[in-house]
Amino acid sequence: MSNAIEAQMLCKDFGKFHAVDDATINIKSGCICGFIGKNGAGKTTVMRMLTGLMKPSRGKILVLNEKPGCISARIGFLPQNMRFDENETARSVLSFFAAVKNVDVSESIQFAKTLELDLDKKVKDLSPGNQRKLQLIVVTGGNPELLILDEPTAGLDPTGVQQVREIIRLLNQRGCTVFVSSHILKELDDLCNQVIIIDRGRILYQGPCAKCYEFETGGLTDTICRDLKDQVNIHSTADGNLLSAEIEKQSVPDVLQFLFSKNIPIYEVRRSGFESLYNRYVREAAQ
Amino acid sequence: MKETFLLFKRDLKRILNKRFLFVLLFMVLFQSWFIRGSGYKDKAGQNFEFSYMGFTFAFLILGSLAALSLNFDAISKERQNKVMDLLLTSSLSKTQIATGKLMASLALSLLFSLLYNLLVTLIYCLFRTGGAVIRVALHNVLPVAALIFIYSLMGLFLSVLFRSSRTSFIVSMACGLILMPRIFEMFVDGICKGLKLENAVSNLIMFASPAMIMSGLTGYNGASNLLTGIGAFLIYTVVLTVLFFTVFRNQDEKSYNE
């Protein structure tokens, strides 16, 4: 599978401040890739460089095998906290952007109907969730091959978050590669099949979304992680009585069997998703 | 070309809002207060000074603030609302966006001047002033439009330079105040006296004030002032347009949240 985004040794400096530092990013075509990092980690800066809005201080970028900025017809970018002119109707917003992109507005109108969006309302009369729907419809006009979404659920209520997630899934099913940023880990947990973690401008992890399981036990020894690695070939970390392992669902009985064999009581097993992965990498980076 | 025209139409529609109407009515009311208070209602059209002041007094005092207030956020607001990002990632170039804004500013200047002179003429008609007023009003349309256009270009440039609408507004108002004819005259006088420059030079420097350009363009003060006015207008237009395009094209589109 080819890469939709390839960025090598990407740097962006604002004076002496390194907003992005030697970031190498590869995003596979057809996937939904989550971009995780706390506020100010450099997510938006990376996304803006990928769309051609910002020039990198150093490094090389290829988006859909071309230089960013030359391919705007093939990508859709939804900036964070975007607001259309509130006195315009949703229909006029759609018509303007369809005309600018030289695409058929009827497709966007049809999509709006699917999402139950009232196009005759003024933007100011639409709820934040519906405003975000309108923005997503505008951005997806002309069926872009790549969608870059910068915190698309920021400021939305739980229903709005759910709706945006469904739209992202729908677009991905249509064949669109989605690169979506957020600092809310749970939000991306079920959605993404690839993840990139960024902290202080540095990429800490990129790869498949390895699922993490946590085992709350009645006591662990220092050697348990090493034994687990040696005997069952599972990488794990221990923190007090908590054992964390990056494993798929089917490997959970193997860990349980191993712990039982060592006479270690188990009180709870839970899936922790991105959270422990993120915490681990950020903790390691800080150390 | 089609995209630029679409942008022009959109920008013009956005400019012709309640703010435009408010500024227009305020200027007309300010002028009618002057017409009534100064006794010009009986004299407009009789001589050049009355014809000039009788139509442009509001612009001599508040023209800079009025025109700048219409354009100070043309770019900065779109940047703050992130619509600029969407435009730039929708197959539009910065040159197209800037050209659309420039065309909208030109149209706005002409329209504002036309409506302003029309409404002031109607005020004179209410005061039953003679028919010469219409001729004078038509004569003043282009000079007033030129003044608004210069300040609009300045507003566009400032809105590119200062990325937040609030900063852009404050700087616009400060520029407007400094370039007010009476205040600017004091600056020029002070500088010329300090540097011991001749009167002819200080008169020429005074043409850096758009109000002086408007005065020159009316042709009421002689052919030499008219030519200087045309020259100063062209210099202003070219310099501000080049600055606006160059700065806008070379700027990074930073995010303002982070």
Side-chain angles (χ1 to χ4, degrees), chain A residues 28-103:
Chain A
K28 290 188 178 78
S29 295
C31 76
I32 302 179
C33 178
F35 197 25
I36 301 170
K38 53 190 170 194
N39 286 331
K43 303 186 295 290
T44 301
T45 308
V46 168
M47 288 188 149
R48 296 179 89 78
M49 286 194 281
L50 296 177
T51 51
L53 289 169
M54 261 181 169
K55 291 182 195 110
S57 304
R58 292 175 297 283
K60 212 171 115 183
I61 305 173
L62 279 179
V63 179
L64 301 173
N65 292 320
E66 288 187 66
K67 282 185 181 171
C70 312
I71 39 129
S72 47
R74 294 168 64 198
I75 66 163
F77 173 54
L78 179 65
Q80 189 187 351
N81 298 331
M82 201 191 76
R83 287 196 305 267
F84 288 122
D85 188 349
E86 53 182 27
N87 290 314
E88 279 190 80
T89 62
R91 193 179 296 278
S92 69
V93 171
L94 278 189
S95 304
F96 171 75
F97 279 98
V100 159
K101 287 181 171 180
N102 218 1
V103 296

Coordinates of all heavy atoms in Angstrom, one line a residue, chain A residues 28-103:
Chain A
K28 N -0.4 5.7 5.5 CA -0.8 4.9 4.5 C -2.1 5.3 3.8 O -2.9 5.9 4.5 CB -1.0 3.4 5.0 CG 0.3 2.8 5.4 CD 0.1 1.3 5.7 CE 1.4 0.6 6.1 NZ 1.8 0.9 7.4
S29 N -2.2 5.1 2.5 CA -3.4 5.5 1.8 C -4.5 4.6 2.3 O -4.4 3.4 2.5 CB -3.2 5.2 0.3 OG -2.2 6.1 -0.2
G30 N -5.7 5.2 2.4 CA -6.9 4.5 2.8 C -7.1 4.3 4.2 O -8.2 3.7 4.6
C31 N -6.2 4.8 5.1 CA -6.4 4.5 6.5 C -7.0 5.8 7.2 O -7.1 6.8 6.6 CB -5.1 4.1 7.2 SG -4.0 5.5 7.4
I32 N -7.3 5.6 8.4 CA -7.7 6.7 9.3 C -6.5 6.8 10.3 O -6.3 5.9 11.1 CB -9.0 6.6 10.0 CG1 -10.2 6.3 9.0 CG2 -9.3 7.8 10.9 CD1 -11.5 6.1 9.7
C33 N -5.8 7.9 10.2 CA -4.7 8.1 11.1 C -4.9 9.1 12.1 O -5.3 10.3 11.8 CB -3.4 8.4 10.3 SG -2.0 8.7 11.3
G34 N -4.8 8.8 13.4 CA -5.0 9.7 14.5 C -3.7 10.4 14.8 O -2.6 9.8 14.7
F35 N -3.8 11.7 15.1 CA -2.6 12.5 15.4 C -2.8 13.0 16.8 O -3.7 13.9 17.0 CB -2.5 13.6 14.4 CG -1.2 14.3 14.3 CD1 0.0 13.6 14.7 CD2 -1.0 15.6 13.8 CE1 1.2 14.3 14.6 CE2 0.2 16.2 13.7 CZ 1.3 15.5 14.1
I36 N -2.0 12.5 17.7 CA -2.3 12.8 19.1 C -1.2 13.6 19.8 O 0.0 13.3 19.5 CB -2.5 11.4 19.9 CG1 -3.6 10.6 19.3 CG2 -2.8 11.7 21.4 CD1 -3.7 9.2 19.9
G37 N -1.6 14.5 20.6 CA -0.6 15.3 21.3 C -1.3 16.3 22.1 O -2.4 16.7 21.8
K38 N -0.7 16.8 23.2 CA -1.4 17.8 24.0 C -1.4 19.1 23.3 O -0.7 19.3 22.2 CB -0.7 17.9 25.4 CG 0.7 18.1 25.4 CD 1.3 17.9 26.8 CE 2.8 17.9 26.8 NZ 3.4 17.4 28.0
N39 N -2.1 20.1 23.9 CA -2.1 21.4 23.3 C -0.7 22.0 23.1 O 0.1 21.9 24.1 CB -2.9 22.4 24.1 CG -4.4 22.1 24.0 OD1 -4.9 21.6 23.0 ND2 -5.2 22.4 25.1
G40 N -0.4 22.5 22.0 CA 0.9 23.1 21.8 C 2.0 22.1 21.4 O 3.2 22.5 21.4
A41 N 1.6 20.9 21.2 CA 2.6 19.8 20.9 C 3.1 20.0 19.4 O 4.2 19.4 19.2 CB 2.0 18.4 21.0
G42 N 2.4 20.6 18.6 CA 2.9 20.8 17.2 C 2.0 20.2 16.2 O 2.3 20.2 15.0
K43 N 0.8 19.7 16.6 CA -0.1 19.0 15.6 C -0.6 20.0 14.5 O -0.5 19.6 13.3 CB -1.4 18.5 16.4 CG -1.1 17.6 17.5 CD -2.4 17.1 18.1 CE -3.4 18.1 18.7 NZ -2.9 18.6 20.0
T44 N -1.0 21.1 14.9 CA -1.6 22.1 13.9 C -0.5 22.5 13.0 O -0.7 22.6 11.8 CB -2.2 23.3 14.6 OG1 -3.3 22.8 15.5 CG2 -2.8 24.3 13.7
T45 N 0.7 22.8 13.5 CA 1.8 23.2 12.7 C 2.2 22.2 11.6 O 2.4 22.5 10.5 CB 3.1 23.6 13.6 OG1 2.6 24.5 14.6 CG2 4.2 24.2 12.8
V46 N 2.2 20.9 12.1 CA 2.5 19.9 11.1 C 1.4 19.8 10.0 O 1.7 19.8 8.8 CB 2.6 18.5 11.8 CG1 2.6 17.3 10.8 CG2 3.8 18.4 12.7
M47 N 0.1 19.9 10.4 CA -1.0 19.8 9.5 C -0.9 21.0 8.5 O -1.2 20.8 7.3 CB -2.3 19.8 10.2 CG -2.5 18.5 10.9 SD -4.2 18.4 11.6 CE -4.5 16.7 11.4
R48 N -0.6 22.2 9.0 CA -0.5 23.3 8.1 C 0.6 23.2 7.1 O 0.5 23.7 6.0 CB -0.4 24.6 9.0 CG -1.6 24.8 9.8 CD -1.5 26.1 10.7 NE -2.0 27.2 10.0 CZ -3.3 27.5 9.8 NH1 -4.2 26.8 10.3 NH2 -3.6 28.6 9.2
M49 N 1.7 22.6 7.5 CA 2.8 22.4 6.6 C 2.4 21.3 5.5 O 2.7 21.5 4.4 CB 4.1 21.9 7.3 CG 4.7 23.0 8.1 SD 6.4 22.7 8.7 CE 6.1 21.6 10.1
L50 N 1.7 20.3 5.9 CA 1.2 19.3 5.0 C 0.3 19.9 3.9 O 0.2 19.4 2.8 CB 0.6 18.1 5.7 CG 1.4 17.3 6.7 CD1 0.6 16.2 7.4 CD2 2.6 16.7 5.9
T51 N -0.5 20.9 4.3 CA -1.5 21.4 3.4 C -0.9 22.5 2.5 O -1.5 23.1 1.6 CB -2.7 22.0 4.1 OG1 -2.2 22.9 5.2 CG2 -3.6 21.0 4.7
G52 N 0.4 22.9 2.9 CA 1.0 24.0 2.1 C 0.7 25.4 2.6 O 1.2 26.4 2.0
L53 N 0.0 25.5 3.7 CA -0.3 26.8 4.3 C 1.0 27.4 4.9 O 1.1 28.6 5.0 CB -1.4 26.7 5.3 CG -2.8 26.4 4.7 CD1 -3.8 26.1 5.9 CD2 -3.3 27.6 4.0
M54 N 1.8 26.5 5.4 CA 3.1 27.0 6.0 C 4.2 26.3 5.3 O 4.1 25.1 5.0 CB 3.1 26.5 7.5 CG 2.7 27.6 8.4 SD 2.8 26.8 10.0 CE 2.7 28.1 11.1
K55 N 5.3 27.0 5.2 CA 6.5 26.4 4.6 C 7.4 25.9 5.7 O 7.6 26.5 6.7 CB 7.3 27.5 3.8 CG 6.6 28.0 2.6 CD 7.5 29.0 1.9 CE 6.6 29.7 0.8 NZ 6.4 31.1 1.1
P56 N 7.8 24.6 5.6 CA 8.7 24.1 6.6 C 10.1 24.8 6.6 O 10.5 25.3 5.6 CB 8.9 22.6 6.3 CG 8.5 22.5 4.8 CD 7.6 23.7 4.5
S57 N 10.7 24.9 7.8 CA 12.0 25.5 7.9 C 13.0 24.6 7.2 O 14.0 25.0 6.6 CB 12.4 25.8 9.3 OG 11.5 26.6 10.0
R58 N 12.8 23.3 7.4 CA 13.6 22.2 6.8 C 12.8 21.0 6.6 O 11.7 20.9 7.2 CB 14.9 21.9 7.7 CG 15.9 22.9 7.8 CD 17.0 22.5 8.8 NE 16.5 22.3 10.2 CZ 16.2 23.3 11.0 NH1 16.3 24.5 10.7 NH2 15.8 23.0 12.2
G59 N 13.3 20.1 5.7 CA 12.6 18.9 5.5 C 11.9 18.8 4.2 O 11.7 19.8 3.5
K60 N 11.4 17.6 3.9 CA 10.8 17.3 2.6 C 9.4 16.7 2.8 O 9.2 15.9 3.7 CB 11.6 16.3 1.9 CG 11.6 16.4 0.4 CD 12.7 15.5 -0.2 CE 12.0 14.5 -1.1 NZ 12.9 13.5 -1.6
I61 N 8.4 17.2 2.0 CA 7.0 16.7 2.2 C 6.5 16.3 0.8 O 6.6 17.0 -0.2 CB 6.1 17.8 2.7 CG1 6.6 18.4 4.0 CG2 4.7 17.3 2.9 CD1 5.8 19.6 4.5
L62 N 5.9 15.1 0.8 CA 5.1 14.7 -0.4 C 3.7 14.3 0.1 O 3.6 13.4 0.9 CB 5.8 13.5 -1.0 CG 7.0 13.7 -1.9 CD1 7.6 12.4 -2.5 CD2 6.7 14.7 -3.1
V63 N 2.7 15.0 -0.5 CA 1.4 14.6 -0.2 C 0.7 14.1 -1.5 O 0.7 14.8 -2.5 CB 0.6 15.9 0.3 CG1 -0.8 15.5 0.6 CG2 1.3 16.4 1.6
L64 N 0.2 12.9 -1.5 CA -0.3 12.2 -2.7 C 0.7 12.3 -3.8 O 0.4 12.6 -4.9 CB -1.6 12.9 -3.1 CG -2.8 12.8 -2.0 CD1 -4.0 13.6 -2.5 CD2 -3.2 11.4 -1.7
N65 N 2.0 12.1 -3.4 CA 3.1 12.0 -4.3 C 3.4 13.4 -5.0 O 4.1 13.4 -6.0 CB 3.0 11.0 -5.4 CG 3.0 9.6 -4.8 OD1 3.9 9.3 -3.9 ND2 2.1 8.7 -5.2
E66 N 2.9 14.5 -4.4 CA 3.2 15.8 -5.0 C 3.6 16.7 -3.9 O 3.3 16.4 -2.7 CB 2.0 16.3 -5.8 CG 1.8 15.6 -7.1 CD 0.7 16.3 -7.9 OE1 1.0 17.5 -8.3 OE2 -0.3 15.7 -8.1
K67 N 4.1 17.9 -4.3 CA 4.5 18.9 -3.2 C 3.2 19.5 -2.7 O 2.3 19.7 -3.4 CB 5.4 20.0 -3.8 CG 6.8 19.5 -4.0 CD 7.6 20.7 -4.5 CE 9.0 20.2 -4.7 NZ 9.8 21.3 -5.4
P68 N 3.1 19.8 -1.4 CA 1.9 20.4 -0.8 C 1.7 21.8 -1.5 O 2.6 22.5 -1.8 CB 2.2 20.5 0.6 CG 3.6 20.4 0.8 CD 4.2 19.6 -0.4
G69 N 0.4 22.1 -1.6 CA 0.1 23.4 -2.2 C -0.2 23.3 -3.7 O -0.9 24.1 -4.3
C70 N 0.3 22.2 -4.3 CA 0.0 22.0 -5.8 C -1.2 21.1 -5.9 O -1.6 20.8 -7.1 CB 1.2 21.4 -6.5 SG 2.8 22.2 -6.1
I71 N -1.7 20.5 -4.8 CA -2.7 19.5 -5.0 C -4.0 19.8 -4.2 O -4.7 18.9 -3.8 CB -2.1 18.2 -4.4 CG1 -1.3 18.5 -3.1 CG2 -1.3 17.4 -5.4 CD1 -1.6 17.7 -2.0
S72 N -4.3 21.1 -4.1 CA -5.4 21.5 -3.3 C -6.7 20.9 -3.7 O -7.6 20.7 -2.9 CB -5.5 23.0 -3.2 OG -5.4 23.6 -4.4
A73 N -6.8 20.6 -5.0 CA -8.1 20.0 -5.5 C -8.2 18.5 -5.0 O -9.3 18.0 -5.0 CB -8.1 20.0 -7.0
R74 N -7.1 17.9 -4.6 CA -7.2 16.5 -4.2 C -7.2 16.3 -2.7 O -7.4 15.2 -2.2 CB -6.0 15.7 -4.8 CG -6.1 15.6 -6.3 CD -4.8 15.1 -6.9 NE -4.5 13.8 -6.5 CZ -3.2 13.3 -6.6 NH1 -2.2 14.0 -7.0 NH2 -3.0 12.0 -6.2
I75 N -7.1 17.4 -2.0 CA -7.2 17.3 -0.5 C -8.2 18.2 0.1 O -8.6 19.2 -0.6 CB -5.8 17.6 0.2 CG1 -5.4 19.1 0.0 CG2 -4.7 16.7 -0.3 CD1 -4.4 19.5 1.0
G76 N -8.7 17.8 1.2 CA -9.6 18.7 1.9 C -9.0 19.0 3.3 O -8.5 18.0 4.0
F77 N -9.0 20.2 3.7 CA -8.5 20.6 5.0 C -9.5 21.3 5.9 O -10.1 22.3 5.4 CB -7.2 21.5 4.8 CG -6.7 22.0 6.1 CD1 -6.3 21.1 7.2 CD2 -6.4 23.3 6.3 CE1 -5.8 21.6 8.4 CE2 -5.9 23.8 7.5 CZ -5.6 23.0 8.5
L78 N -9.8 20.8 7.0 CA -10.7 21.4 8.0 C -9.9 22.0 9.1 O -9.4 21.3 10.0 CB -11.7 20.5 8.5 CG -12.7 21.1 9.5 CD1 -13.6 22.1 8.8 CD2 -13.6 20.0 10.1
P79 N -9.7 23.3 9.1 CA -8.9 23.9 10.2 C -9.7 23.9 11.6 O -10.9 23.7 11.6 CB -8.8 25.4 9.8 CG -9.3 25.5 8.4 CD -10.2 24.4 8.2
Q80 N -8.9 24.0 12.6 CA -9.5 24.0 14.0 C -10.4 25.2 14.2 O -10.0 26.3 13.8 CB -8.4 23.9 14.9 CG -8.8 23.6 16.4 CD -7.6 23.8 17.3 OE1 -6.4 23.9 16.8 NE2 -7.8 23.8 18.5
N81 N -11.5 25.1 14.9 CA -12.3 26.3 15.2 C -12.6 27.2 14.1 O -12.5 28.4 14.2 CB -11.6 27.1 16.3 CG -11.5 26.3 17.6 OD1 -12.2 25.4 17.9 ND2 -10.4 26.6 18.3
M82 N -13.0 26.6 12.9 CA -13.4 27.5 11.8 C -14.8 28.0 11.9 O -15.6 27.3 12.5 CB -13.2 26.6 10.5 CG -13.0 27.5 9.3 SD -13.2 26.6 7.8 CE -14.9 26.4 7.7
R83 N -15.0 29.2 11.4 CA -16.3 29.8 11.4 C -16.6 30.5 10.1 O -15.8 31.3 9.6 CB -16.5 30.8 12.5 CG -16.5 30.3 13.9 CD -17.0 31.3 14.9 NE -16.2 32.5 14.9 CZ -15.1 32.8 15.6 NH1 -14.8 31.9 16.5 NH2 -14.5 33.9 15.5
F84 N -17.7 30.1 9.5 CA -18.2 30.8 8.3 C -18.8 32.1 8.6 O -19.2 32.3 9.8 CB -19.1 29.9 7.5 CG -18.5 28.7 6.8 CD1 -19.0 27.4 7.1 CD2 -17.5 28.9 5.9 CE1 -18.4 26.3 6.5 CE2 -16.9 27.8 5.3 CZ -17.4 26.5 5.6
D85 N -19.0 32.9 7.6 CA -19.7 34.2 7.9 C -21.1 33.9 8.4 O -21.9 33.2 7.7 CB -19.8 35.0 6.6 CG -20.4 36.4 6.8 OD1 -20.9 36.6 7.9 OD2 -20.3 37.2 5.8
E86 N -21.4 34.3 9.6 CA -22.7 33.9 10.2 C -24.0 34.4 9.6 O -25.0 33.8 9.8 CB -22.7 34.2 11.7 CG -22.4 35.6 12.1 CD -22.3 35.8 13.6 OE1 -22.0 34.9 14.3 OE2 -22.6 37.0 14.0
N87 N -23.9 35.4 8.7 CA -25.1 35.9 8.1 C -25.4 35.2 6.8 O -26.4 35.4 6.2 CB -25.0 37.4 7.9 CG -25.0 38.1 9.2 OD1 -25.9 37.8 10.0 ND2 -24.1 39.0 9.4
E88 N -24.5 34.3 6.3 CA -24.8 33.6 5.1 C -25.6 32.3 5.4 O -25.5 31.8 6.5 CB -23.4 33.1 4.5 CG -22.8 34.3 3.7 CD -21.6 33.7 2.9 OE1 -21.8 33.2 1.8 OE2 -20.5 33.9 3.4
T89 N -26.4 31.9 4.4 CA -27.1 30.6 4.6 C -26.1 29.5 4.3 O -25.1 29.6 3.6 CB -28.3 30.5 3.7 OG1 -27.8 30.5 2.3 CG2 -29.3 31.6 3.9
A90 N -26.5 28.3 4.8 CA -25.6 27.1 4.6 C -25.6 26.8 3.1 O -24.5 26.5 2.6 CB -26.2 25.9 5.3
R91 N -26.7 27.1 2.4 CA -26.7 26.8 1.0 C -25.8 27.7 0.2 O -25.1 27.2 -0.7 CB -28.2 27.0 0.4 CG -28.4 26.4 -1.0 CD -29.8 26.7 -1.4 NE -30.8 25.9 -0.6 CZ -31.1 24.7 -0.7 NH1 -30.5 24.0 -1.7 NH2 -32.0 24.1 0.1
S92 N -25.7 29.0 0.6 CA -24.9 29.9 -0.2 C -23.4 29.6 0.1 O -22.5 29.7 -0.8 CB -25.2 31.4 0.1 OG -24.8 31.7 1.4
V93 N -23.1 29.1 1.3 CA -21.7 28.7 1.6 C -21.3 27.5 0.7 O -20.3 27.5 0.1 CB -21.6 28.3 3.1 CG1 -20.2 27.7 3.4 CG2 -21.8 29.5 4.0
L94 N -22.2 26.5 0.7 CA -21.9 25.4 -0.2 C -21.8 25.7 -1.6 O -20.8 25.3 -2.3 CB -23.1 24.4 -0.1 CG -23.2 23.4 1.1 CD1 -24.2 22.4 0.9 CD2 -21.8 22.7 1.3
S95 N -22.7 26.6 -2.1 CA -22.6 27.0 -3.5 C -21.3 27.7 -3.9 O -20.7 27.5 -4.9 CB -23.8 27.9 -3.9 OG -25.0 27.3 -3.5
F96 N -20.9 28.6 -3.0 CA -19.7 29.4 -3.2 C -18.5 28.4 -3.3 O -17.7 28.5 -4.3 CB -19.4 30.4 -2.1 CG -18.1 31.1 -2.2 CD1 -17.9 32.0 -3.2 CD2 -17.1 30.7 -1.3 CE1 -16.6 32.6 -3.3 CE2 -15.8 31.3 -1.4 CZ -15.6 32.2 -2.4
F97 N -18.3 27.6 -2.3 CA -17.1 26.7 -2.3 C -17.2 25.7 -3.5 O -16.2 25.3 -4.0 CB -16.9 26.0 -1.0 CG -16.3 27.0 0.0 CD1 -17.0 27.7 0.9 CD2 -14.9 27.1 0.0 CE1 -16.4 28.6 1.8 CE2 -14.3 28.0 0.8 CZ -15.0 28.7 1.8
A98 N -18.4 25.2 -3.8 CA -18.5 24.3 -5.0 C -18.1 25.0 -6.3 O -17.4 24.5 -7.1 CB -20.0 23.8 -5.1
A99 N -18.5 26.3 -6.4 CA -18.1 27.1 -7.6 C -16.6 27.3 -7.6 O -16.0 27.2 -8.7 CB -18.9 28.4 -7.6
V100 N -16.1 27.6 -6.5 CA -14.6 27.9 -6.4 C -13.8 26.6 -6.7 O -12.8 26.6 -7.5 CB -14.3 28.4 -5.0 CG1 -12.8 28.2 -4.7 CG2 -14.6 29.9 -4.8
K101 N -14.3 25.5 -6.2 CA -13.6 24.2 -6.5 C -14.0 23.6 -7.8 O -13.4 22.6 -8.2 CB -14.0 23.2 -5.4 CG -13.4 23.5 -4.0 CD -13.8 22.4 -3.1 CE -13.1 22.4 -1.8 NZ -13.5 21.4 -0.9
N102 N -14.9 24.2 -8.5 CA -15.4 23.8 -9.8 C -16.0 22.4 -9.7 O -15.7 21.5 -10.5 CB -14.2 23.8 -10.8 CG -14.7 24.2 -12.2 OD1 -15.9 24.5 -12.4 ND2 -13.8 24.3 -13.1
V103 N -16.8 22.1 -8.7 CA -17.4 20.8 -8.5 C -18.9 21.0 -8.5 O -19.4 22.1 -8.3 CB -16.9 20.1 -7.3 CG1 -15.5 19.8 -7.3 CG2 -17.3 20.9 -6.0

